[in-house]
Structures are given as structure tokens and as C-alpha cells.
Amino acid sequence: MGTYRVAQVTSPDGRFEIVEREVPQPGPGHVRIAVDACGICHSDAVFVSAKVPGVRFPLVPGHEVAGRIEALGEGAQDRGWQVGDRVAVGWFGGSCGHCTPCRQGDFIVCENLKVPGWAYDGGFAEAVIAPSDALARIPDALASTDAAPMACAGVTTYNGLRRSSARPGDLVAVLGIGGLGHLAVQYAVAMGFETVAIARGADKREFAEQLGAHHYVDSTVGTSVADALRSLGGAKVVLATAANSGAITATVDGLAHRGELVVIGAAPEPLEISPMQLLMSGRVVRGHPSGTSQDVEDTMVFSALHGIRPIVEVVPLSRTDEAYQKMLSGAARFRMVLTG
């Protein structure tokens, strides 16, 4: 059978250690993936800290997985998968198929969503077992270290924009240009939106422009963010990638009539939005979850077509704890990615 390495924590907020386990065999409808790369997402901290129910230790996180199928469980081949296929698995790690959202075809809000690193061992490992409905085919043009972050950070921003009310030519603002936002700006430009990047500090202007943003708003100086957006005509959509409730709230009055605030940055504090801010102009506030395996595949194809790539810092699996701590501290350059 042999063994493979995983990076695990044995208690809430514990340090990562590298251990060896026996190589598992995939069950019916599942595959075993040889992991080539796995992104470290800030959401991994929710599981490592046991802030959601059902977390079991020892824990192997990781829901931005890219690799190659190396073993098929019964029935997986019938779904079109073969050994050697390059695949990604993201926040959407499979659905139950029987809850009301699933029966309505809305699999990403499955009541029993199988998030890797929560429902089953994730990608901080040399191999992972995943259900076949979680698999997205990686285009040849994408390296695994680029594909991995597309399975969560990429699909969340891409899908958030393409499912919004914005149309080509509309003013679209991206709040935050970190791990999610730096991809969102690139997607917004490629989709034909007049794109505004909003961040803290004048030093980020040049970077925003390099990403293709048509406008930059420094939220720390001068006029308010809302006034700045109104001076541009008002935003049809604000994609809030920053996990800061105050910063998200500050954009609402910058929305145009019938404008839409799409929230993807997870923050625990409530949004301080009054009904009057929404009612008089018919504005909409909605949360946007990630995307299904098909959405992940769409994201990667679009990214390959338009030359969109995440900015990553690649670290070997043996240094998982160092990479995770760097992500937590905010010192990471957008996306830390583990490789074997």
C-alpha cells in the first residue's frame, strides 16, 4: 500500500506537524488525487480554530486543491474520469443530492456541503480522497500552482461578478485587492466593466493599475468611498472582498439606483446598513458563496483564455506551519500555495 504525508493539527489552533499515513483507497463514486498544489485560504483558519461544528481532530485542512487522479473508486469512471486527469477541488467538495437546495439544482448552498478539510481530509497532503462530483478539469494552460487558488479565491470572485446584475460597460467596484480582490479586479476588467479598485493607502494605486483597474480609491484619505463612487456615476455593483464590515458598509451609499452589494468577504461583525439606504434607491445586498465544480472549471477556462493568474508564494508541504502562520499574520503575498 505504501504511505503518504499529510500536514495536520491535533487540537484547535495547534501547530502543523507532518505525519505519514497509509495510502487510502477511494470508495464508490470517489477518486484519489495526487496533490500537486494546495492553496492556503483564510477560511482554513475557521476549521483549524474549530469555530464551526463538526470539526474533527487530527485535522488536515485545504480546499484549494490541484492534482492528478491516481486511483478510481467504483463508478467514478462512469462519470468520465480517468487516471491521469488533472483536476481541482475547491470549497465545493461535493453535495448530498437530497436536501431541498440540491433537489432544486442549487448545489453550492447544499445543506450538507462537503467542504474539504471539514467534511473530509483536505489538500494539505500528498494525496486526497474526493467525491467525483467535486472535480473540475484543469486546462492544460494552467499550472497547478495557479489552478489551486482558482478553486476557491478564483471561483468566488469570478462567479460573484458574472452572476451579478452588472453588464459590460457598467461601473463595478472591487473592495480590497488582497487574495480575492487582486483576482476580482482582473476578472472585472476582462468582463468589460469600468473597474474601480478600493483599498487602503496610496501605495496600492500602482498595483491596482497594473491589474487593469480604470480607477483607484484610497479609502484612508480625502473624500469618502461613497462620495468617490458617486463622483464616477455610482457603482452598479460593489464586490466586497475585504473581510471588514465597516469598510463594506462605507460603500453602500456609493451604489447607483438598483445597485447591488455582493458580499464575499467573511467578517463576524454586522453590517450597519439602514433600511432607508436600500429602500429609496432600490438597492440590493446579497451574500455570494463560492461555486460548484462546473463553476470552478468555467473560472479556470476563463482565466486561461484571458491570461489571468493569481499571485502566489510557493512553499513545500514540509513548511506548512510556517506558510499558515504567514497567511494568518497578513504577511503573505496574496496566496500561499503548498507543493509536495
Side-chain angles (χ1 to χ4, degrees), residues 189-274:
V189 172
M191 290 178 186
F193 304 138
E194 183 180 353
T195 304
V196 186
I198 307 169
R200 296 176 58 85
D203 58 318
K204 295 184 176 67
R205 178 183 297 276
E206 183 179 355
F207 176 61
E209 292 172 349
Q210 289 172 354
L211 293 173
H214 304 101
H215 311 279
Y216 178 73
V217 174
D218 178 357
S219 62
T220 66
V221 297
T223 186
S224 70
V225 169
D227 285 344
L229 291 177
R230 281 198 299 267
S231 73
L232 294 168
K236 181 66 174 179
V237 167
V238 170
L239 186 72
T241 74
N244 183 317
S245 295
I248 295 172
T249 299
T251 68
V252 173
D253 285 333
L255 289 168
H257 63 282
R258 303 289 181 185
E260 183 181 23
L261 173 62
V262 181
V263 180
I264 62 177
E269 299 81 17
L271 299 175
E272 295 183 3
I273 300 172
S274 74

Side-chain angles (χ1 to χ4, degrees), residues 9-14 47-50 57:
V9 289
T10 57
S11 60
D13 291 321
F47 307 129
V48 174
S49 299
F57 293 90

Side-chain angles (χ1 to χ4, degrees), residues 79-81 85-88 135-139 293 297 300-301:
R79 297 193 177 189
W81 299 108
D85 286 347
R86 297 180 68 225
V87 294
L135 306 181
R137 198 175 299 276
I138 300 174
S293 54
E297 197 163 308
M300 292 190 292
V301 170

Side-chain angles (χ1 to χ4, degrees), residues 9 11-14 16 40-57 59-63 91 115-119 124 152 243 264-268 324 327-328:
V9 289
S11 60
D13 291 321
F16 281 91
I40 301 178
C41 178
H42 205 277
S43 298
D44 289 318
V46 175
F47 307 129
V48 174
S49 299
K51 291 181 178 177
V52 292
V55 175
R56 298 178 299 276
F57 293 90
L59 176 75
V60 181
H63 58 266
W91 179 264
V115 180
W118 186 10
F124 289 13
C152 181
I264 62 177
Y324 179 79
M327 179 279 295
L328 275 186

Side-chain angles (χ1 to χ4, degrees), residues 319-333:
R319 292 167 52 195
T320 297
D321 192 71
E322 175 188 338
Y324 179 79
Q325 298 302 327
K326 188 170 183 179
M327 179 279 295
L328 275 186
S329 71
R333 182 65 169 166

